[in-house]
Amino acid sequence: MSKKKRILTGDRPTGPLHLGHYVGSLKNRVLLQDEYEQFILIADIQALTDNFENPQKIKNNILELALDYLSVEISPEKSTIIIQSQVPELAELTVYLMNMITVAQLERNPTVKNEIRQKGYRENVPVGFFVYPISQSADILGFQANLVPVGEDQLPMIEQSREIARRFNSLYGQTFVEPKEMLSEVPRLCGIDGKEKMSKSLNNTINLSDSADIVVEKVMRMYTDPTRVRATDPGHTEHNPVFIYLNAFHDDKKEIKDFEDRYRLGKVGDIEVKKRLVEILNSFLEPIRQKRKEYEKDSHLVNSILKRGTEKGRAVVEQTMTLVRKAVKTDYFG
Ligand code: TRP
């Protein structure tokens, strides 16, 4: 029997997942779960690094995140969902890995650099936030992941994990798998305001848990072509969220092409295209809402999925930690 390669992915439980998450990662996870051994980490400890003043928010979002996963058909039979904080060995591993990297190396990490700037921390970066890439490396190495599906912006994290693994392995002997990135080719989905990225902090998302009415409301105020004043003006379809979403969520390419042609000629109004987009998005979201409702009714079931997943994941990290403690000679009592 061929051993499946292992994948680790994860999210911070800080808010509802949206269509951008679906296009950028969830869809891929649903496909990958058949071919790989997939672990999905609900990274609540990492979420606390920049939300430590608001732990209740993180706690509430753990269940919401699990519901998002389950509602898009990430299957608890095929994928293992883990709550990070319930695997304390990951924190233990983080401490050992801290010795494998310098402050200068961490400071060079472009992802963290960016986030520090965005958050306006300046000189007052909490240490926990500054070192979260080490904790993320512990996640990846603790699970002995072969592959980590990521977008471009997370590449430095994987590179750093690899460096840490190499350093550890060369100092103490072969202990960790060197992880590789699995770059997803899916383009980023723009926000309903046309901004490059759909993002909770930009308040421009359509969430997987949004009701049909909310989708109507959001699509109706969606940005389109600012150069077009009347429906009879020739319009632009590129960089136009309405058409970007149509292409991302509608299979009938002929119908899209027809809309695009007419839009460019000024022969169809925004409202007509938007009405069609509402139908398409709502028929995409409806089964997701239904599935979510089923799980919402049965919080026992969701809890037991999380409990089982966490136990299974913890057992994997425990195995890794047996090797690690031996390597760093902290296995005093055997
Ligand atoms: N940093 C990821 C995010 O912000 C979450 C995460 C934590 C993660 N640990 C991970 C992703 C390990 C992949 C592998 O969404």
Side-chain angles (χ1 to χ4, degrees):
M1 205 181 82
S2 72
K3 204 169 167 293
K4 283 185 181 174
K5 285 202 170 165
R6 187 174 293 160
I7 283 185
L8 181 72
T9 70
D11 301 281
R12 301 178 184 200
T14 50
L17 297 187
H18 50 65
L19 294 179
H21 291 116
Y22 184 83
V23 169
S25 66
L26 297 173
K27 188 178 176 185
N28 206 29
R29 291 182 196 174
V30 176
L31 294 172
L32 293 172
Q33 64 184 351
D34 288 315
E35 220 183 304
Y36 294 89
E37 187 187 8
Q38 179 163 252
F39 290 91
I40 305 176
L41 194 67
I42 298 186
D44 57 342
I45 296 277
Q46 190 180 113
L48 280 170
T49 63
D50 56 345
N51 290 277
F52 56 84
E53 285 156 324
N54 207 351
Q56 190 63 44
K57 167 179 145 189
I58 303 305
K59 183 175 184 190
N60 296 345
N61 276 305
I62 290 176
L63 187 64
E64 291 302 314
L65 187 55
L67 287 168
D68 281 332
Y69 290 158
L70 296 167
S71 67
V72 297
E73 310 268 358
I74 285 176
S75 154
E77 314 304 322
K78 298 177 184 171
S79 296
T80 306
I81 304 173
I82 303 123
I83 302 179
Q84 186 186 31
S85 60
Q86 304 310 296
V87 184
E89 290 77 11
L90 290 173
E92 183 188 355
L93 180 55
T94 303
V95 171
Y96 293 126
L97 298 188
M98 282 182 176
N99 298 329
M100 301 296 107
I101 185 168
T102 65
V103 171
Q105 276 175 303
L106 271 181
E107 276 171 343
R108 278 199 296 271
N109 184 319
T111 309
V112 182
K113 238 195 208 166
N114 245 335
E115 284 173 322
I116 287 175
R117 196 171 327 114
Q118 275 168 11
K119 291 174 194 296
Y121 280 142
R122 291 173 193 280
E123 299 309 305
N124 298 314
V125 184
V127 174
F129 184 81
F130 182 62
V131 302
Y132 95 74
I134 307 177
S135 154
Q136 185 155 330
S137 295
D139 300 337
I140 295 168
L141 303 181
F143 281 94
Q144 305 280 8
N146 303 99
L147 291 164
V148 186
V150 286
E152 294 268 357
D153 59 325
Q154 290 278 309
L155 275 182
M157 294 289 173
I158 315 300
E159 183 54 41
Q160 215 149 59
S161 303
R162 229 176 354 248
E163 282 169 17
I164 289 173
R166 264 189 228 127
R167 184 95 205 277
F168 193 103
N169 288 345
S170 77
L171 268 175
Y172 303 116
Q174 182 60 40
T175 308
F176 296 117
V177 169
E178 273 186 40
K180 289 201 176 64
E181 65 274 3
M182 184 186 243
L183 250 187
S184 85
E185 62 212 60
V186 206
R188 205 175 247 182
L189 195 67
C190 67
I192 60 171
D193 56 359
K195 291 221 177 87
E196 195 187 352
K197 192 179 169 190
M198 186 177 275
S199 156
K200 182 171 45 85
S201 54
L202 296 173
N203 201 12
N204 63 3
T205 66
I206 293 178
N207 300 332
L208 297 171
S209 50
D210 280 348
S211 69
D213 289 346
I214 288 185
V215 171
V216 173
E217 189 255 308
K218 286 184 175 175
V219 170
M220 287 307 157
R221 66 180 159 90
M222 196 179 270
Y223 172 105
T224 57
D225 174 2
T227 67
R228 198 182 193 223
V229 184
R230 283 173 226 92
T232 50
D233 295 345
H236 298 87
T237 55
E238 59 284 353
H239 309 297
N240 184 330
V242 177
F243 285 94
I244 291 171
Y245 288 25
L246 273 180
N247 277 291
F249 292 97
H250 194 33
D251 290 329
D252 187 345
K253 300 301 168 207
K254 251 187 69 194
E255 188 188 355
I256 298 175
K257 172 110 190 4
D258 176 58
F259 268 129
E260 285 174 344
D261 289 344
R262 288 196 286 138
Y263 197 86
R264 290 194 191 108
L265 293 169
K267 294 202 163 141
V268 62
D270 278 1
I271 302 288
E272 189 184 335
V273 194
K274 283 184 168 182
K275 279 191 174 150
R276 186 69 185 115
L277 179 61
V278 164
E279 285 171 4
I280 287 159
L281 290 182
N282 273 334
S283 70
F284 168 75
L285 288 169
E286 196 45 39
I288 297 176
R289 291 185 195 117
Q290 287 306 325
K291 193 97 196 167
R292 187 188 189 88
K293 227 181 260 164
E294 282 171 37
Y295 279 109
E296 263 170 352
K297 269 190 276 178
D298 198 348
S299 63
H300 244 64
L301 175 61
V302 181
N303 263 319
S304 80
I305 289 169
L306 290 174
K307 192 145 184 281
R308 250 190 304 133
T310 300
E311 276 162 9
K312 185 174 161 199
R314 187 171 183 188
V316 171
V317 181
E318 268 169 355
Q319 270 184 357
T320 304
M321 285 316 291
T322 304
L323 300 176
V324 169
R325 292 185 202 114
K326 209 174 260 161
V328 299
K329 312 237 177 269
T330 54
D331 56 339
Y332 292 114
F333 303 118

